[in-house]
Amino acid sequence: LQGHFFRLLKTSPHAAIRLGFLGKMAPPHKVAVIGSGNWGMAIGRIVAHNAKTKKILDDTVSMWVYEEEIDGRKLTDIMNKEHENVKYLPGYKLPDNLVADPDIESATKGADILIFVIPHQFIHGLCEKIKAHISPGCICVSLIKGLHFDETGLVLISDMISQGLGGADTSVLMGANIANEVAAKCFCETTIGYRIEANGMLLKEVFDYKFFRVGLANNVPGVEICGALKNIVALGAGFSDGMKLGENSKAAVIRIGLEEMRKFIQQRYPEVTSETFFESCGVADLITTSYGGRNFKVAKAFVEAGGHKTMDDLEEEMLNGQKLQGTLTCKEIHTILEREGKSGDFPLFTVIYSIAFEGISPEHLVAVLGGFDLEDGEFSLPIEKGQEHIKKRLPWHYAQKPRKVYPHEIVYQH
């Protein structure tokens, strides 16, 4: 059977996938979604639709939901009876074959394909609970845009999942995919990074739809880390917009951010080619996030609040229980760059961290990008009519004295 599979894969890979010769699994493949936030719900709608129409997938898609009470009713009961997640994706009907389950073991029992859409802090505990219940040969895909660091350095979320489930092959899906736009069926692209081609092609069958087009890349680290680092750059774009600096400045933040993303990834994974950054997981996701993502919106509000609200305050106020992955990734990246003595090689990442967590005023973003000293008095923020309150609040009420910009922090040398 294995020999026949590989012969068929070589001559007709799509036929091999459709016949289901994948490890020990035979179609139809049971799919389970782990996570029911905004993005999890949007992608769950697509997967459930495909499960109804593609014979290689089991008709029913289970979704693990962290149980909450909404106006005295269990969220899972609302989802299963009214087919709507009224908290995280209100206004969008869910397919009736998407079944909410508050029990993680029950939701993943017998699953052939696991889709992870949760904050990465919960992966270890959940994997411990489900590894005895999933199907032998189960494959996974992570939609989690974050990174983890331990005493040895950077750890990919896909590797955490794989290790937690006894070596399960784990791919990643990243792209320019704002959840509400995906739910509204606005056309978009995404990228699946895979290690085993057959698994990547099967996952394409799970996700690909006429308004949600999937590209494949044999490159898990590049695709995955792009999805995490772009959230740091989006914070910088939000700071720029919060200061009313205009599109030219934000474009500079995005360009320099993409260059620092490339440098960070290729220093650690030299096999990642530059083409990766031109996929949806790269420049497209970076642009989208820097104009409409939650990290951008909160960072913009942070500047407009004039230092009177922290990122944590704004996360709680603006995100309806969702998490701000960019700030966590920013802290973790800063820690590893400091440990390696390389923070000076990443001036944009470093100044974004300093603005968000060390109390320096946001004008330092421009000073570092332009390579000048704020103390020379030449730079001043453009203030639009009706926005004078922002000027009154800058520099921050808790800000440090504007510090000298050192040569190693300069992006442009004039």
Side-chain angles (χ1 to χ4, degrees):
L1 181 62
Q2 186 181 53
H4 178 60
F5 167 70
F6 283 109
R7 286 193 298 273
L8 186 59
L9 182 62
K10 185 175 181 180
T11 58
S12 182
H14 283 288
I17 294 302
R18 290 185 182 280
L19 287 174
F21 293 139
L22 184 67
K24 298 180 181 178
M25 293 191 294
H29 304 305
K30 177 175 172 55
V31 182
V33 182
I34 301 176
S36 58
N38 190 227
W39 180 214
M41 297 312 307
I43 204 69
R45 279 164 40 99
I46 293 174
V47 173
H49 178 275
N50 285 342
K52 272 188 173 181
T53 58
K54 296 183 179 182
K55 293 182 179 180
I56 64 167
L57 302 177
D58 188 90
D59 290 346
T60 300
V61 175
S62 58
M63 172 177 279
W64 176 68
V65 177
Y66 179 77
E67 191 68 280
E68 300 180 57
E69 293 245 337
I70 309 293
D71 296 329
R73 299 178 62 192
K74 292 181 178 180
L75 180 57
T76 52
D77 288 343
I78 297 172
M79 291 174 62
N80 289 331
K81 292 176 182 177
E82 300 178 13
H83 304 294
E84 181 181 357
N85 188 324
V86 294
K87 181 171 183 179
Y88 295 115
L89 195 67
Y92 293 95
K93 285 297 180 182
L94 306 175
D96 57 13
N97 63 322
L98 183 64
V99 179
D101 191 335
D103 186 303
I104 186 64
E105 296 176 3
S106 170
T108 58
K109 185 177 181 180
D112 300 308
I113 301 170
L114 292 179
I115 300 170
F116 284 81
V117 206
I118 53 172
H120 76 261
Q121 300 93 314
F122 304 110
I123 287 174
H124 179 73
L126 290 177
C127 285
E128 281 295 313
K129 292 180 178 180
I130 68 177
K131 62 184 180 181
H133 302 278
I134 57 178
S135 171
C138 177
I139 67 172
C140 307
V141 57
S142 169
L143 279 63
I144 302 166
K145 295 184 176 181
L147 295 171
H148 180 66
F149 294 88
D150 61 18
E151 62 280 358
T152 64
L154 184 151
V155 180
L156 297 179
I157 303 300
S158 57
D159 287 341
M160 290 177 62
I161 294 170
S162 180
Q163 292 164 11
L165 295 177
D169 181 62
T170 304
S171 302
V172 295
L173 183 150
M174 306 285 160
N177 308 140
I178 291 177
N180 285 343
E181 294 183 12
V182 172
K185 298 185 179 180
C186 300
F187 177 79
C188 67
E189 298 178 309
T190 199
T191 307
I192 289 177
Y194 64 85
R195 291 185 174 90
I196 298 175
E197 184 178 14
N199 291 352
M201 294 173 63
L202 176 60
L203 290 171
K204 182 172 181 176
E205 294 286 325
V206 173
F207 293 103
D208 192 65
Y209 187 52
K210 58 188 176 183
F211 65 83
F212 191 77
R213 287 306 186 192
V214 176
L216 295 176
N218 184 12
N219 178 6
V220 170
V223 173
E224 182 169 351
I225 303 175
C226 274
L229 296 185
K230 55 91 181 181
N231 285 328
I232 302 176
V233 183
L235 296 176
F239 295 154
S240 178
D241 267 25
M243 290 186 282
K244 310 293 182 184
L245 295 181
E247 302 305 323
N248 293 341
S249 295
K250 185 156 72 171
V253 171
I254 293 170
R255 188 201 69 78
I256 295 165
L258 182 62
E259 173 59 20
E260 292 196 6
M261 288 168 56
R262 183 200 63 78
K263 184 193 302 184
F264 184 91
I265 292 170
Q266 290 184 332
Q267 281 182 357
R268 288 153 180 81
Y269 297 92
E271 71 275 15
V272 174
T273 64
S274 295
E275 284 78 6
T276 301
F277 302 95
F278 293 95
E279 298 286 348
S280 181
C281 63
V283 65
D285 195 8
L286 177 58
I287 291 170
T288 295
T289 306
S290 296
Y291 276 85
R294 69 181 71 161
N295 295 280
F296 161 77
K297 292 176 180 177
V298 171
K300 181 173 182 285
F302 177 78
V303 172
E304 292 174 341
H308 294 285
K309 293 182 180 180
T310 66
M311 288 289 193
D312 289 340
D313 294 335
L314 292 164
E315 177 186 80
E316 184 177 352
E317 179 182 310
M318 298 176 65
L319 299 186
N320 191 33
Q322 299 288 289
K323 294 300 180 182
L324 195 65
Q325 289 297 117
T327 50
L328 179 60
T329 304
C330 186
K331 289 178 181 178
E332 292 173 331
I333 291 292
H334 182 75
T335 298
I336 197 168
L337 291 177
E338 285 286 297
R339 183 189 304 168
E340 296 174 350
K342 292 183 177 180
S343 58
D345 296 335
F346 296 86
L348 182 63
F349 287 176
T350 300
V351 76
I352 289 171
Y353 173 84
S354 295
I355 293 168
F357 302 109
E358 294 184 337
I360 70 169
S361 61
E363 297 106 316
H364 284 84
L365 176 70
V366 186
V368 167
L369 296 181
F372 60 83
D373 194 333
L374 287 176
E375 290 180 319
D376 64 18
E378 184 176 346
F379 173 74
S380 62
L381 291 175
I383 303 297
E384 297 179 2
K385 186 175 181 180
Q387 298 293 319
E388 293 83 359
H389 65 285
I390 296 177
K391 186 173 183 179
K392 291 177 182 177
R393 292 179 183 172
L394 295 175
W396 274 189
H397 72 284
Y398 58 77
Q400 301 169 1
K401 181 180 179 182
R403 60 180 176 82
K404 181 178 179 62
V405 179
Y406 296 97
H408 73 274
E409 298 178 304
I410 296 174
V411 176
Y412 296 121
Q413 184 72 50
H414 296 297

